[in-house]
Amino acid sequence: MNIKLIFRVLGFLSLVVGIAMLLALIVSLIYGEHDTKAFLFSSGVAAATGGIILLLTKNASRDIGKREGFIIVSLSWIIFSFFGSLPYILSGSIPNFTDAFFETISGFTTTGSSILSDIEALPHGILFWRSLTQWLGGMGIIVLSLAILPVFGIGGMQLFMAEVPGPTPDKISPRIRQTAKTLWIIYLGFTITETLLLWVGGMSFYDAICHSFTTMATGGFSTKQASIGHWDSPFIQYVIVLFMFFAGTNFTLSYIAIKGKFGRVLKDEEFKYYFLFVAGFTILISIGLIFTTSLGIEQAFRDALFQVVSIITTTGFATADYLLWQPILTILIFVLFFFGGSAGSTGGGIKIMRIVILFKNSYYELRRMIHPNAVIPVKFNKHSVDAKIITNVLAFFMLYFVIFGFSTVIFTFIEPDLPSAMGAVATSLGNIGPGLGNVGPAENFAHVAPAGKWFLSFLMLLGRLELFTVLVLFSPTFWKE
Amino acid sequence: MNIKLIFRVLGFLSLVVGIAMLLALIVSLIYGEHDTKAFLFSSGVAAATGGIILLLTKNASRDIGKREGFIIVSLSWIIFSFFGSLPYILSGSIPNFTDAFFETISGFTTTGSSILSDIEALPHGILFWRSLTQWLGGMGIIVLSLAILPVFGIGGMQLFMAEVPGPTPDKISPRIRQTAKTLWIIYLGFTITETLLLWVGGMSFYDAICHSFTTMATGGFSTKQASIGHWDSPFIQYVIVLFMFFAGTNFTLSYIAIKGKFGRVLKDEEFKYYFLFVAGFTILISIGLIFTTSLGIEQAFRDALFQVVSIITTTGFATADYLLWQPILTILIFVLFFFGGSAGSTGGGIKIMRIVILFKNSYYELRRMIHPNAVIPVKFNKHSVDAKIITNVLAFFMLYFVIFGFSTVIFTFIEPDLPSAMGAVATSLGNIGPGLGNVGPAENFAHVAPAGKWFLSFLMLLGRLELFTVLVLFSPTFWKE
């Protein structure tokens, strides 16, 4: 185990967090609010810690192995969240450390669950930082570091794989730095476009940037207590739906689309199913809303579409409270908690590709029963899916549900109401944001006991790194030899 | 498709049902109650229908293919349930056809959910028949037919595999008839032993037989409204726990034990985990009951052990109402709804072996992440598990949860209370018996709307035949060519 190198990389990442805080510092200076000192100090602490570690580990070997990769990635997210919580605490916005850490890791992991009950009372710099944590976490800060700096030698691939796990990682370029750079450029391009559209649509420029950050990251933090429901503008809501949908699409596919090869995009199986799931659930819920509420057709469609896209992409923005709908419609939304965006998107959850592979395997198994001697492999995008990937998807799925089940059982000690416990666990593990019961879209997580907040924080991290990267650290084999 | 043969086998099985009813007729004659005519007539109808079909299909080819096997087994369970419901209707015990069919398929599939609210008011013959349906369904009436009659030619294996699916069917003998015979002899042996013990313990001989039938089938029908809670005798309760545990054990393993090779039994991995799950949940729930109720230690342990074994084996007997326990203890019981007995036992549900394979695969996947180039197969009983079996288990697991999820959503239209809907679906699919909410152990299914009863009946059949046998009939490939 190359401990010196682990420290070195973590030190380097602390430096990056410190630099990122300077952006929030600028916003704070522009608005001239009381949070300037907090950013100055937080940035200084993060950067200085990083700098000192870098100096002390100058002669570390640059060879990052598989195991170092898992440790670095898991720890880096905890360290970001630690440094990231400093501005909240020092500015007095969230004085309690547990709450500040929860809010920060909920940001970095793009979950978007909040403990704030009066968001608009907070200074602009702080809310900008809150949105920025999601944007950095969405595409991944390690991927960003890989893109902009030549600091990681040959181990970059290990880190990339551990931070962007996915069932079948597709690389835009054989060179990992080029891939990371392309991903971030597309991400940035989408963010700028959305900002301009929201600004044109009537948001302030500040709100437009903040919401573009949290849309493209499928994060869901808003600068308003009423989330997107604050703006009663169909244009703004449709723009956000569109960009949530982009954010939940594989970025490699967006790259192909930008290069003009739309045919390949439309032929992509994961995209096709992603679109079908969104369309299917939107139609079902629209019909339900038309028959059970007094909403007009357009409003019912928009409410259904917005909540469906927001939940399936694991963003978590709200324009309506799905807990006030008919139980069956609420349950349909809860079913979507177990979908998630596409592989290679910023969306969390189980991911469309895994779900489709699982469904196909089940369906093919029926054919295998009829023709037991034929070899019937699962096909995806016209290629046979390797048995290794299927067992990996199986393992992921099983772990996901076991963790969901056992965490719910554990969480009922903290929150005895079963739907609330199920909702809190599912939303944290899927990096969604709102849950059910007393952690629904109109509520927040402030009332959850401190132990519960730490537990959910852990689930968010587990979900963001797609289980294996974190769980592998708890496996005895990992530490052997 | 050899349709003539399908009819022939179904005709033969109708004959077997007619003959089985003669046993209930004898009981009815002994007690001299008003249900005698009902049995005489039902038996006559079933036997005559069977006889006529047999005469009409005399020259059918005796070659049963894979597809014929699936059709025969799926249809046979529906036909049994149809004929089996006649005594209830004709005796006036359950005049409504929907209710009578529900009670019968709940019996044959060994689910044990009941629509009866005053069981003790029914004649002895009817209650004997009710218990007998479970006993016949437990080991499988096709397996019985294979054992006692040389009627099925070379296709016996197809039928056996379709009725006793399991992830890895182990055959006691290379000859399928010998295997079926051995299984039924062990089954009968256990049933006789349990009858004698319950009789000695204070039950009437009649109650002892009926309860032995439903214990060994992991069925759960009782002749008393209060189920086993009717007898306040620790001896009777422990005897039933022991035999439920045997019924949930692989019968091949019992055969090995009877032959004196206890070492092999203790080394069996599925048995080990089965024992550990029972012990673990019993200890957890015992502790919970000791701290949250005024029960003494022995009573708390006995209540915990009985409900845990009853649910994990999918029997469904009750000596306590787990819905009155602390929520966390009820949830632990609900977790057990998704376990099930051992492969090759009469228990339903997902089955211990599948769960262990899934867990192991997930755990091994962590090792595969650390050593990506090593081949790390899942081992079970010291043998590598074939990749085909893993994808089959994956398919089963996925289907099970998708069916559970979607059925719950559908069922909320009939039963809006979510825990009740989840409980009703889970208990039917797992062939358990009692559910949650308004279908808990102290309630019954009488109040469920007719559409709901038919839906649950279908789920019971799906669960009993382990999904594939039935689902394959809905696959387009099945009907091609």
Side-chain angles (χ1 to χ4, degrees), chain A residues 215-271:
Chain A
T215 309
M216 287 315 302
T218 68
F221 273 157
S222 172
T223 54
K224 302 292 173 189
Q225 192 65 41
S227 187
I228 308 301
H230 180 86
W231 288 274
D232 201 16
S233 149
F235 178 80
I236 284 178
Q237 296 185 6
Y238 282 119
V239 166
I240 287 179
V241 163
L242 187 69
F243 282 85
M244 287 195 291
F245 188 79
F246 288 154
T249 307
N250 189 334
F251 275 72
T252 307
L253 217 57
S254 301
Y255 174 72
I256 292 169
I258 290 165
K259 285 178 76 182
K261 297 176 186 157
F262 293 105
R264 273 183 61 193
V265 175
L266 296 178
K267 265 187 229 149
D268 184 81
E269 256 194 282
E270 187 179 30
F271 184 76

Side-chain angles (χ1 to χ4, degrees), chain A residues 272-351:
Chain A
K272 211 168 62 188
Y273 282 104
Y274 174 41
F275 183 83
L276 287 176
F277 289 143
V278 167
F281 276 87
T282 300
I283 292 169
L284 277 179
I285 293 176
S286 299
I287 294 172
L289 287 178
I290 290 169
F291 281 103
T292 60
T293 65
S294 58
L295 296 176
I297 292 180
E298 191 276 336
Q299 175 88 57
F301 168 76
R302 179 151 45 90
D303 278 7
L305 177 69
F306 193 98
Q307 308 337 296
V308 164
V309 173
S310 174
I311 297 297
I312 200 174
T313 61
T314 74
T315 308
F317 280 141
T319 57
D321 185 351
Y322 51 73
L323 293 182
L324 302 179
W325 295 349
Q326 286 292 307
I328 180 81
L329 302 179
T330 308
I331 290 170
L332 281 177
I333 288 285
F334 190 61
V335 168
L336 283 177
F337 272 52
F338 299 93
F339 277 66
S342 310
S345 75
T346 61
I350 291 174
K351 303 251 156 54

Side-chain angles (χ1 to χ4, degrees), chain A residues 66 328 331 358 361-363 365-367 369-370 372 390-392 394-395 397-398 409 412 468 472 476-477, chain B residues 66 328 331 358 361-363 365-367 369 372 390-392 394-395 397-398 409 412 418 468 472 476-477:
Chain A
K66 236 181 163 48
I328 180 81
I331 290 170
L358 286 165
N361 183 60
S362 302
Y363 181 69
E365 192 66 26
L366 294 178
R367 287 172 56 184
M369 301 223 63
I370 306 165
I390 297 194
T391 53
N392 175 283
L394 157 66
F397 190 73
M398 176 73 184
V409 171
T412 47
F468 293 123
V472 90
T477 346
Chain B
K66 233 179 167 50
I328 181 78
I331 291 170
L358 285 164
N361 183 60
S362 302
Y363 181 69
E365 193 65 28
L366 294 177
R367 286 173 55 184
M369 302 223 61
I390 295 192
T391 53
N392 175 282
L394 157 66
F397 190 74
M398 176 73 183
V409 170
T412 48
L418 186 60
F468 294 123
V472 90
T477 346

